[in-house]
Amino acid sequence: MPDCTVVVITYNDAARLPRAVRSVLDQTLRDLEVIICDDASTDDTPRVAGALTRADPRVRYVRRQVNSGGCGAPRNDGLDAALSPYVMFLDSDDTLPRHACKSLLTEIERTGADFVSGQIARLYESSGRTHRYYPHLFARRRTVEGIREEPDLFLDCFTTNKLFDVSFLRRHALRFPEDILYEDHVFGAEMYCAARRFAVVPWTVYHWHRPQDGTSISMSTKEMDNVRHRLEAARRSDAVLRAHGFGDLVPDRQYRFVRQDLRVYLNPLPSRDVAWAAEFAGVVRPYLAQIPGEVLERLPATARVCCHLILADRAEDLRVAARSLNGPQAPPREVVTRGGRTYWGRTPAPGMDITALHLAELPYTASRLRHEVVALASAGTRMRLRVRTYDPFGVLTAAPGWTASLRCGTVRTPLSPVPDPDGGYLSEVTVDLATLRGRGDPRIGFTGPDGRTTTDVLLADPCMAPFTLRHLRVSAEGSAGQLCVRPRRTPRVALSRLKRVVLRRLGMPRTKLAAYKALIRLVPPRPDLALFEADCGKGYTGSPRAVYEEVRRRGLPVSVVWSVARARADFPSDAALVRRGSWRYVWTMARAGVWVDSHGFPLDHPKPRGTRYLQTWHGQGIKSIGFDAPDLRADLPGPREQWRAAVARWDALISPSAEFSRYFVPALGYEGRVLRYGTPRCDALVRGRPPEGVRERLEIPPGRKILLYAPTYRDGAKGSGASVRVDLEELAEALSGEWALILRTHPVERYQVPPHLRHFVTPAGSYPEINDLILVSDALLTDYSSVMCDYAVTGKPMLFFVDDWDEYRLTERGVNTDLPAIAPGPCVTTTADLVECLRHLPAVHASFAARYAAARRLWCEEERGDAAARVVADFFRAPLAVPVAERSPLRGAT
């Protein structure tokens, strides 16, 4: 008896069937069987299946004589033929990840569950990218004692992402319906009713392939019979719950229908005509009318509006609203405000309330306008557009004196919108894209008299046929029909790409490193030339900035070149720049007699003989660092030796405190000279004066207190946004009238603020200078970030959100100090507790006065406001050999 059976159902899919079967045969669980269940295919499937059975004895073939028209019958055939105690189901156009069977088998044996469910991921074949299906459902590995414990799991009614105990299925006579499509919905309802216990795992166990031009039952959403089958599956599922005594959970299952099933048809609705939309609404309306209002209230605002438009039989308005569901999520054409509430359309109605989107409260640069292309023509490289702009929230009315332009990448064309009697503004413009290289999706920008600009995309007819402008392709992309301009594949474009590939090969890091090593042997460094770099070239910030400004203030005879990783931002206009990693950067590293940086110049580049290297470092605090950090604490010689050699380049290290010297210096493996003068970047915090205009630049409303939220990254989830652990929605609901939140994520993090929270949350991950944010804020919210040490200089309140403290200290980054024992502010683990602390912040802050004073002694004792001056006086005291007349900086960023 094999450990596991995988039933692969197929119909006229001979080309993809081998891929599906191979994904099972290649599983790390070797003791399994594959049953190919053929629903009477008329293509080459019998021959292909025969070859698979001959090639591997673990494969069996079962064929129906008459096509059943769905998936239920072949799945039942496979279940009847299964010899093993556990079974999975796989469609022939999909695949299993390599460890799916083994990991699910281990989990079901460990938990004694009736079935185990894992993450399902859409795999887009055109790009190879995957998108997880409702990842919040699978975020935690857990055992669920029946569906009543977690009725949200009705959203997971798939059968393909589950491993079933065969005895459980046979004991409860669980079978797939054979007379409808979407049979898994009904089977799923019966499965949840019968299961006494089931398990959920967070890893991906099923790849749901989405070909660029494929066809399947789930993709045939234009067929009205497809809609009717899905509705019938919903009705039968409700009946199953009632028959098994789970009638109280019917609203939870119906929420799945309006949240997921209905969206399958609403998403492409803008590309359907009005007649189709009207027929669709007529088919759906009877079932939708039976769903309680409280179920619809759980939906996102725009989806709820669509439901009420279906109920009101407003097909044309439904097509307009559906364009706001996806893609750019365009605002409504019109809104009406009553009693502090905002409603979609011209008349207020409870089901049309979109106040929760907070679109009327957005700062100017994030405000939303709706631009619809009403006419479009092209000739040569020119495109002529007629655009209607809707301003539902009066953004333009509130900013008289604005100017407008159409922006396509680097091409900008002035616009002259005129008020339209039917509402909004009309613009006509001809744009020449002859000079556009690369992507240039059109956006219309309105710039106010204060220089701030709000931009939004253009919506074209989703059914518009793509056309070309010589080297460009213009199309309406996505269900919303966003107008896009992309480079077209032509011989010239291909040649340009080939040129870039060749140049990239010539400029590969190993080539540049070899050239650099040759240079430092041949060319002596210039004592009067300094290369400065902050945060690996990310900006003009930190202690390198403070040291540089002190060098300039003193008028020292040294020419400074700044390393910059991306486009120039906030550097002094006369600063000489060099692009990090470029050939000029290699030359500058070799020639500079002084290096100053905060994170580390490229680790494998030896320092030229005679060059002096000042390492300012970038923080202190409680996190493990250097040889204690996850990437170095493993006993692997390569990374450790590389780090040791990189640290050996330092001639001086700035230490801001005795605590830094106690822990950080030895953890970094540094044995050289230490400058205990305080932190140059903290001089501005000691002075305590924020630069002019910071609040205005951040668009913080007057009268709001500012909470700076600055979490650190998680080593196991860099770039995932996982560091933002506070429930920002709950925080906004409780505090948005009194507080504004500035979100400063770590530079390695990627987090997109949800649009409906932009009235409360200002994203500042790319803001160039964190000192500005510290000085303008009224309190700090962090977790384990070193920003706590800098913030202590200000004496302002700090709060710590440490819901994953045990995980972080034991299995994640690791720490050198027990934060809850020494924190100069409350350590909370829930957003509710955080809200309470903020509501009583003065008293809470006062209660931590003794700890705060101890933290300042620990981290800030050397901070007197003159660290940069003391560091420069010490490190730059050596005379410079080159006369002033012979000094010249390297100019330009290349």
Side-chain angles (χ1 to χ4, degrees):
M1 181 188 294
D3 287 335
C4 175
T5 298
V6 179
V7 176
V8 181
I9 65 168
T10 187
Y11 174 68
N12 285 351
D13 197 21
R16 292 180 294 192
L17 177 61
R19 182 185 67 183
V21 172
R22 277 197 304 272
S23 78
V24 182
L25 298 177
D26 291 343
Q27 291 285 303
T28 49
L29 179 68
R30 307 301 299 169
D31 189 11
L32 48 73
E33 67 170 348
V34 180
I35 302 177
I36 301 173
C37 294
D38 180 5
D39 199 9
S41 296
T42 58
D43 66 351
D44 206 23
T45 293
R47 186 191 64 79
V48 171
L52 290 169
T53 59
R54 289 190 296 273
D56 194 310
R58 294 177 295 170
V59 181
R60 290 193 284 145
Y61 179 49
V62 176
R63 176 177 168 83
R64 297 182 67 82
Q65 296 306 307
V66 179
N67 178 254
S68 69
C71 300
R75 283 180 178 158
N76 287 335
D77 292 345
L79 179 58
D80 292 339
L83 298 178
S84 69
Y86 302 105
V87 65
M88 287 188 74
F89 298 97
L90 172 65
D91 293 345
S92 61
D93 53 349
D94 298 329
T95 56
L96 297 181
R98 191 162 181 261
H99 303 293
C101 293
K102 189 171 187 177
S103 64
L104 291 175
L105 179 63
T106 301
E107 193 71 4
I108 202 168
E109 290 179 339
R110 185 183 71 84
T111 61
D114 295 321
F115 63 87
V116 181
S117 182
Q119 178 74 65
I120 190 168
R122 293 183 178 94
L123 192 158
Y124 295 92
E125 295 181 354
S126 59
S127 64
R129 294 181 179 178
T130 58
H131 179 77
R132 293 182 298 163
Y133 176 88
Y134 290 117
H136 71 278
L137 295 178
F138 304 95
R140 293 183 298 109
R141 183 179 183 178
R142 61 199 186 277
T143 302
V144 182
E145 304 296 332
I147 188 62
R148 272 203 174 88
E149 190 173 289
E150 290 192 44
D152 279 353
L153 286 168
F154 279 123
L155 284 168
D156 174 28
C157 277
F158 287 99
T159 52
T160 50
N161 63 329
K162 295 174 177 62
L163 177 72
F164 295 94
D165 184 329
V166 173
S167 65
F168 160 71
L169 297 180
R170 291 174 178 166
R171 185 170 64 251
H172 292 280
L174 293 180
R175 309 280 291 176
F176 292 92
E178 299 186 6
D179 58 340
I180 61 168
L181 308 179
Y182 303 109
E183 72 295 324
D184 50 345
H185 294 190
V186 184
F187 181 91
E190 294 180 333
M191 167 193 77
Y192 280 127
C193 289
R196 59 180 178 82
R197 171 189 297 167
F198 55 93
V200 179
V201 296
W203 53 83
T204 299
V205 300
Y206 193 86
H207 282 148
W208 179 14
H209 285 246
R210 305 293 277 182
Q212 194 164 11
D213 298 311
T215 58
S216 66
I217 292 173
S218 62
M219 297 177 72
S220 303
T221 57
K222 193 174 182 179
E223 306 299 325
M224 203 57 66
D225 277 347
N226 189 285
V227 181
R228 293 187 177 96
H229 274 270
R230 197 182 286 264
L231 283 164
E232 178 61 21
R235 293 188 183 98
R236 291 193 193 183
S237 299
D238 295 347
V240 165
L241 294 180
R242 294 187 181 104
H244 287 80
F246 288 85
D248 56 310
L249 296 186
V250 168
D252 293 286
R253 218 234 64 103
Q254 291 174 334
Y255 176 68
R256 181 234 150 79
F257 176 82
V258 293
R259 170 83 182 271
Q260 172 62 29
D261 298 337
L262 193 60
R263 283 291 292 271
V264 170
Y265 305 99
L266 289 176
N267 289 342
L269 191 66
S271 62
R272 316 282 192 235
D273 58 32
V274 177
W276 193 97
E279 184 181 3
F280 165 74
V283 171
V284 171
R285 191 177 303 116
Y287 180 72
L288 191 61
Q290 299 172 11
I291 296 178
E294 54 267 25
V295 174
L296 300 185
E297 287 301 313
R298 293 174 59 188
L299 289 173
T302 305
R304 186 172 63 248
V305 166
C306 289
C307 289
H308 283 276
L309 291 172
I310 291 172
L311 294 172
D313 196 17
R314 294 165 59 182
E316 180 56 50
D317 287 340
L318 177 62
R319 292 178 71 245
V320 173
R323 297 185 81 175
S324 301
L325 288 170
N326 297 295
Q329 297 181 334
R333 289 176 175 176
E334 298 174 295
V335 298
V336 62
T337 303
R338 293 288 188 276
R341 311 295 297 178
T342 303
Y343 299 89
W344 193 97
R346 295 182 177 181
T347 56
M352 312 298 282
D353 192 331
I354 59 169
T355 308
L357 297 177
H358 297 283
L359 292 170
E361 306 166 46
L362 296 175
Y364 183 79
T365 57
S367 59
R368 300 302 307 276
L369 301 171
R370 184 177 181 123
H371 309 294
E372 294 186 6
V373 178
V374 295
L376 192 155
S378 65
T381 59
R382 296 189 175 193
M383 183 168 58
R384 182 169 181 79
L385 301 125
R386 193 163 186 255
V387 180
R388 175 172 280 112
T389 294
Y390 296 93
D391 180 19
F393 305 103
V395 173
L396 303 181
T397 305
W402 46 259
T403 58
S405 63
L406 176 67
R407 307 168 181 211
C408 299
T410 57
V411 179
R412 294 195 179 190
T413 307
L415 280 182
S416 300
V418 296
D420 182 55
D422 294 332
Y425 299 83
L426 278 177
S427 307
E428 292 192 9
V429 62
T430 299
V431 55
D432 191 340
L433 300 177
T435 61
L436 179 63
R437 296 291 179 268
R439 184 169 177 164
D441 296 346
R443 300 181 71 92
I444 289 180
F446 284 84
T447 302
D450 59 0
R452 292 194 184 94
T453 299
T454 181
T455 69
D456 230 316
V457 301
L458 278 67
L459 302 181
D461 182 351
C463 298
M464 181 189 83
F467 61 90
T468 60
L469 297 174
R470 291 189 184 171
H471 61 298
L472 301 170
R473 182 179 186 271
V474 182
S475 60
E477 297 292 331
S479 56
Q482 179 183 341
L483 189 65
C484 295
V485 177
R486 311 284 166 81
R488 191 164 63 96
R489 294 183 180 275
T490 65
R492 177 178 292 182
V493 171
L495 185 62
S496 176
R497 287 180 178 171
L498 179 62
K499 179 181 176 182
R500 287 199 299 271
V501 169
V502 171
L503 291 176
R504 191 179 299 120
R505 292 263 177 103
L506 291 174
M508 290 181 71
R510 62 173 177 265
T511 306
K512 291 177 178 175
L513 178 59
Y516 171 80
K517 290 180 176 178
L519 274 174
I520 62 175
R521 287 195 299 267
L522 299 173
V523 182
R526 282 175 45 185
D528 68 325
L529 178 62
L531 177 61
F532 275 61
E533 184 174 286
D535 196 4
C536 301
K538 290 188 174 67
Y540 179 63
T541 185
S543 288
R545 171 182 176 173
V547 171
Y548 168 72
E549 291 176 351
E550 180 63 19
V551 167
R552 292 190 65 178
R553 189 187 70 80
R554 291 173 178 245
L556 296 183
V558 57
S559 297
V560 174
V561 178
W562 274 93
S563 160
V564 57
R566 292 188 294 272
R568 174 194 185 114
D570 289 294
F571 282 89
S573 59
D574 60 345
L577 306 180
V578 62
R579 183 168 57 83
R580 193 177 201 263
S582 66
W583 280 108
R584 186 176 289 271
Y585 180 79
V586 172
W587 171 256
T588 307
M589 282 191 73
R591 289 289 279 144
V594 176
W595 289 359
V596 178
D597 102 305
S598 60
H599 285 65
F601 287 108
L603 299 182
D604 46 7
H605 285 56
K607 186 181 63 174
R609 183 173 302 181
T611 293
R612 299 167 62 239
Y613 186 171
L614 172 63
Q615 174 56 254
T616 69
W617 205 242
H618 50 276
Q620 49 180 327
I622 69 161
K623 294 193 297 185
S624 297
I625 201 72
F627 288 105
D628 294 337
D631 51 347
L632 290 180
R633 63 179 170 231
D635 192 18
L636 301 174
R640 293 170 70 89
E641 290 305 316
Q642 183 187 45
W643 177 256
R644 191 170 283 110
V647 170
R649 300 177 300 177
W650 303 350
D651 294 287
L653 170 65
I654 294 177
S655 170
S657 65
E659 177 66 10
F660 185 94
S661 297
R662 178 194 71 81
Y663 170 72
F664 281 79
V665 172
L668 291 169
Y670 179 67
E671 299 176 349
R673 188 160 175 262
V674 174
L675 306 182
R676 276 277 303 277
Y677 298 139
T679 315
R681 71 172 178 275
C682 288
D683 290 349
L685 302 180
V686 175
R687 293 190 290 270
R689 294 186 301 274
E692 293 291 331
V694 175
R695 282 188 73 107
E696 291 73 17
R697 180 174 178 179
L698 295 168
E699 298 181 279
I700 304 296
R704 302 275 179 90
K705 291 181 285 188
I706 298 175
L707 178 65
L708 172 59
Y709 180 24
T712 192
Y713 64 91
R714 303 304 188 263
D715 287 81
K718 291 180 181 178
S720 68
S723 64
V724 182
R725 303 183 66 85
V726 171
D727 187 334
L728 297 179
E729 192 154 353
E730 183 180 345
L731 205 62
E733 186 175 345
L735 301 171
S736 61
E738 182 182 358
W739 287 83
L741 185 141
I742 297 174
L743 178 60
R744 174 72 170 198
T745 50
H746 192 278
V748 304
E749 199 51 295
R750 296 291 180 271
Y751 179 80
Q752 191 78 26
V753 175
H756 67 284
L757 296 179
R758 279 291 281 110
H759 69 294
F760 173 66
V761 181
T762 298
S766 60
Y767 190 90
E769 181 51 76
I770 192 173
N771 276 353
D772 294 355
L773 308 180
I774 292 174
L775 290 170
V776 79
S777 64
D778 296 286
L780 171 70
L781 171 62
T782 187
D783 43 22
Y784 321 112
S785 171
S786 62
V787 72
M788 67 178 78
C789 304
D790 291 4
Y791 207 86
V793 174
T794 70
K796 293 186 288 189
M798 287 190 275
L799 306 99
F800 302 86
F801 196 82
V802 294
D803 66 319
D804 63 338
W805 167 247
D806 286 337
E807 178 185 354
Y808 189 85
R809 69 186 178 90
L810 296 175
T811 64
E812 236 284 339
R813 178 61 177 252
V815 298
N816 63 75
T817 303
D818 184 4
L819 177 63
I822 69 161
C827 290
V828 298
T829 57
T830 67
T831 304
D833 289 342
L834 174 62
V835 168
E836 280 303 301
C837 289
L838 287 167
R839 283 177 171 160
H840 305 93
L841 189 57
V844 170
H845 181 47
S847 69
F848 281 85
R851 278 200 189 182
Y852 208 119
R856 286 168 64 95
R857 288 192 299 272
L858 185 67
W859 295 323
C860 313
E861 197 168 26
E862 299 289 344
E863 306 299 353
R864 305 169 190 169
D866 62 352
R870 298 165 73 189
V871 167
V872 169
D874 188 321
F875 188 79
F876 288 86
R877 67 184 184 278
L880 298 172
V882 180
V884 175
E886 298 180 19
R887 295 195 311 272
S888 62
L890 299 173
R891 300 196 178 278
T894 58

